[in-house]
Amino acid sequence: MNKVIKIENGTKQGVLNFLEHLITTDKISGVLTLRKINEKGICDYGFISDAKELKFADPFAPVMPINAAQTLSSLTPTTKPIAAIIKPCELRGFVERVKRVQGSMKNVLLISYTCGGVLPLNTFQGDGSEKIIADYYNAISKGETPGSIRPTCKACEYFVPMMADITIPLLGNSESESECSLIMNSEFAIQISKEFQCEIITSELDSKIIDKVLAVRISEKEKLYNKTKVTKDGLDELVNIFGKCVGCHGCSRVCPICYCVMCDFESHNFDYNIEIFETELEQKGALRLPPDTVFFQIGRLAHMSFSCVGCGQCEDVCPANIPVATIFKKVGEATAGLFDYIPGKDLEEAIPVMIFKEEEFEEIGK
Amino acid sequence: MTKKGVKISLEKGLQNQIRDFFKKGLEKGVFDAVILPVRVPGKDSYAWILMNNAKLIDQANPVPPVMPVQGAKALKALTRKGNGIINVATIMRSCEIRAAIELSKLNQVNLEKITLVSYDCPGAVPMKGYNRIPEEMEKSFQNALAGKDFANDKMKEVCGICVDFANSPADLHFGFAGMENDGILFSNSDKGTAILDTLKMKCSEDDSQWKNSVNIIKEQKSKNRIEVYKSIQPEVEGLDNLQTTFAKCIGCHNCQSVCPICYCRQCYFDSSASKQTADYLQDKAKNRGGIGFPRDKIMFQVGRMAHMSLSCVSCGQCMDACPVDIPVAKIFSYVAAKTQDTFEYHAGTTADGAVPLKVYKQDELNKIHELIKNAEPQGSQHE
Amino acid sequence: MEKEFIPRITSFVCKWCTYTGADLAGTSRLQYPTSIILLKVLCSSRIDPVFLIKSYLKGADGVLIGGCHPGDCHYETGNYHTRRRFKILTEIFSTLGLPKERLRLSWISASEGPKFAQVSNEFTDKIENLGPNNARENMFL
Ligand code: SF4
Ligand code: SF4
Ligand code: SF4
Ligand code: SF4
Ligand code: FES
């Protein structure tokens, strides 16, 4: 059981009231939140310092213009507290980044919510999205899985935030139009909200709803994995899937985990002298230009799959419609699973490649 | 000035003619290898394949419906580093050839051992459309090609306004626009002429019929171009409009990474040099009430224009790769037309000469002097 | 007649243990197959999994890593990290249905000439049974 702030207002309005209080009483210097930037309803992430600007905030908008983990990296470390209201996978992405010293959680009030998933960028920002968005809110208030969300969202088991200072029940919350509860998970949250005038009760997330959603998500995941023939089909299937990759590397640029300013696969390391192509041509008779299409994918998997949070951002930006996130999520589950690791679950848990146990795995491939 | 070219029968189809040409070239040792588009096993795209085996040429589709990777990028991957010993020939769309020419002027492609071949380009189908319904798109493209249809609406928008569809400094060019059963293969360079000589291909055909047809098509496309530029102008003129147009931009920089001209290994706008500190960002938010992410959307777009628009070949790749469907290529094409006109430069259309930013004349751009003078406050110390 | 299949096994071995072990196998005239192509690295932990992927995709029939026994690494803990990274890579291979049997990690000390010969022979036999790596022919990679 946790301390819970109860606000007699819709969930969105209640959160905004709370944030307004934090800003106007100078508890935080600003809040990172999704916000509407024009009348067409297009959203970006805004770091808002003036309480008046909160009227543009749309913290629960089902869209991910960028994975906020990247944004939080650029806003931290900070000496003055800030708040961020982000989705659970963004939070996990941020935790993974902090483990890689790409930001700091200190002085960041992390607010998250039980997440109904996000719509693909083009659905959210495209024409006629109002109805889809309305249907979305309707479905999630009933704890259903909207058909319009990203494939990896449908298959996401971690829709309950981990490592959040404050959790907001949104998914399956039929009262979200009329009331707002903020579940306090940390001492930091309790301290910073001390002066906020409100009713305080003790409560927790409704486990019945969580279990119900979880069951659906798990079965959706199986379906998704079966549909995308990523597994067991070998090199030929990999070529079938990635054959159309245009090598833009957009997938790695938008990935919250891929933090390198200069990706190894774009570096001089993999930029070949013409002699290398000539030798290979001699041996093989035919080769692809530019090279390394499948190599980039397996290489990226080797570098980061165990930290993939399955956010789906890579798949959404892929101009070739390759189910990148599905594949990365699936492989990531397997590689992280070797170490019972759940990316972004706990800041104290080291990234598997940074530690080892003396007694584990014998000689491999014997 | 009329030119003479080789008469080509199109009875077997253009694709086969081109295949035969490359096979012959390989057999006669005119080149050691060729780079041709081959449909990928998934059947939903094409890949550039460097091959030295004449038999493989049958698998290639020299004129593919799509341009998944701009051809100049394939040439850059091959020739940027080191000195090759093999002679390689390739056939590409006009914008790919022009991009390769620009890259060679920028020392990113070495064309010394490369033979560039081109053709009258009917346009390219957008990648996203092709991915979804490849067979359908394949058909409409082959029909457009066979029907010599240069105004097909299935093609990328920038293809509809491309006045250089049959104009590039490729060593050799397959022309067929407006011709009945025949086409014409002609040379634009000494390299090209030498190849035709070695292959004993006789230049007896006059190119005037072809040229006339090309000019007619070109005129129509010029008109479309003016219209499209007119329609794009209000979307980008003034900061407010620019901001509205790029509101959706998520800062993925796909547009830059697929651009053949943007050759920097590390784009300035991705580098640490362009990143701001947490303190700076928070101060800025304090002053303005709030700041948006991704940062510097307009800075990136306008900055990229400043860096590369003089060489933009209007290939449309940027627009094809944009995940939020911003008409990037139309905008860049519009801006590039203006910056290139300033120097009477037309990117990639001539094989020699330098890119405008590498050279200067002492007496030029006098209008700018006037602008500066007018902008200066009265009584300024600088004359 | 079919050409006889002589596997090519790219072998990354650490300078301090396995390479010395291989050297010992040579000087003690122990037979080990010519399929083993040795690449000397300072420590097995220097081997980015990406090298192994590259070897496989470029057509190596087998990829072998050799390092000091756990606890004996010249840089103390290098090979523990190698072991985790290698395990991750084999997991990626098996999840994607790629032939993880073509990957092999072994600990061979400077004095274990015979073990080097034995591992090389065993692995070569295994690769011979698997046949050539079909990545070598694929032009779309
Ligand atoms: S975003 Fe898609 S096309 Fe671009 S590199 Fe990634 S998989 Fe390839
Ligand atoms: S690999 Fe894709 S799904 Fe996984 S964290 Fe990165 S962007 Fe998200
Ligand atoms: S800016 Fe766009 S249209 Fe211009 S060359 Fe680059 S990719 Fe092509
Ligand atoms: S591709 Fe589109 S979304 Fe990405 S940076 Fe360019 S304009 Fe922005
Ligand atoms: S030195 Fe041999 S494994 Fe590290």
Side-chain angles (χ1 to χ4, degrees), chain B residues 246 249-255 300-301 318 321-324 326 328:
Chain B
F246 285 103
C249 171
I250 57 163
C252 67
H253 296 187
N254 276 5
C255 46
F300 167 67
Q301 300 295 344
C318 44
C322 178
V324 291
I326 296 169
V328 203

Side-chain angles (χ1 to χ4, degrees), chain B residues 39-192:
Chain B
R39 209 166 171 191
V40 296
K43 296 274 178 238
D44 46 9
S45 188
Y46 281 79
W48 290 109
I49 302 287
L50 172 68
M51 53 180 95
N52 60 8
N53 177 344
K55 274 201 210 107
L56 265 180
I57 291 180
D58 286 326
Q59 281 187 44
N61 228 353
V63 183
V66 277
M67 193 190 335
V69 173
Q70 230 271 6
K73 274 190 175 300
L75 287 171
K76 182 181 75 173
L78 180 67
T79 66
R80 207 179 74 84
K81 267 176 148 181
N83 293 312
I85 48 167
I86 60 172
N87 289 307
V88 179
T90 185
I91 181 158
M92 292 178 176
R93 294 184 148 84
S94 160
C95 58
E96 297 175 292
I97 303 281
R98 283 180 281 124
I101 299 283
E102 286 296 302
L103 286 181
S104 81
K105 292 179 184 175
L106 295 160
N107 296 333
Q108 301 301 313
V109 158
N110 183 348
L111 293 175
E112 211 182 296
K113 295 200 167 287
I114 307 287
T115 303
L116 298 173
V117 187
S118 195
Y119 50 88
D120 297 348
C121 173
V125 176
M127 210 40 225
K128 282 175 205 159
Y130 187 85
N131 279 163
R132 293 209 177 87
I133 35 169
E135 291 316 327
E136 226 166 279
M137 287 299 184
E138 195 77 30
K139 229 183 260 153
S140 32
F141 179 80
Q142 297 306 345
N143 286 343
L145 189 63
K148 298 171 187 152
D149 172 7
F150 291 91
N152 192 291
D153 62 357
K154 295 274 188 332
M155 309 298 168
K156 296 192 197 186
E157 279 182 80
V158 285
C159 298
I161 62 169
C162 174
V163 290
D164 296 313
F165 69 101
N167 171 36
S168 82
D171 299 301
L172 293 164
H173 187 98
F174 280 93
F176 54 89
M179 299 173 78
E180 271 180 16
N181 293 319
D182 300 329
I184 177 170
L185 171 63
F186 59 84
S187 148
N188 285 324
S189 71
D190 295 347
K191 207 191 258 174

Side-chain angles (χ1 to χ4, degrees), chain A residues 8 23 25 113 139 159 174 197 251 253 267 274 326 346 363:
Chain A
E8 291 302 327
I23 292 178
T25 56
Y113 45 93
F159 53 92
S174 50
Q197 299 290 327
C251 47
R253 271 192 305 280
S267 72
I274 190 164
T326 308
D346 184 355
E363 286 195 7

Side-chain angles (χ1 to χ4, degrees), chain A residues 67 93 152 251-252 254-258 300 304-305 307-315 324-326 328-329:
Chain A
N67 187 305
T152 43
C251 47
S252 92
V254 299
C255 174
I257 310 304
C258 281
R300 195 164 89 86
M304 56 61 70
S305 64
S307 288
C308 167
V309 294
C311 65
Q313 200 66 350
C314 47
E315 191 163 320
V324 200
T326 308
F328 275 65
K329 182 172 153 73

Side-chain angles (χ1 to χ4, degrees), chain A residues 321-333:
Chain A
N321 288 319
I322 297 169
V324 200
T326 308
I327 295 165
F328 275 65
K329 182 172 153 73
K330 163 93 192 176
V331 174
E333 268 173 23

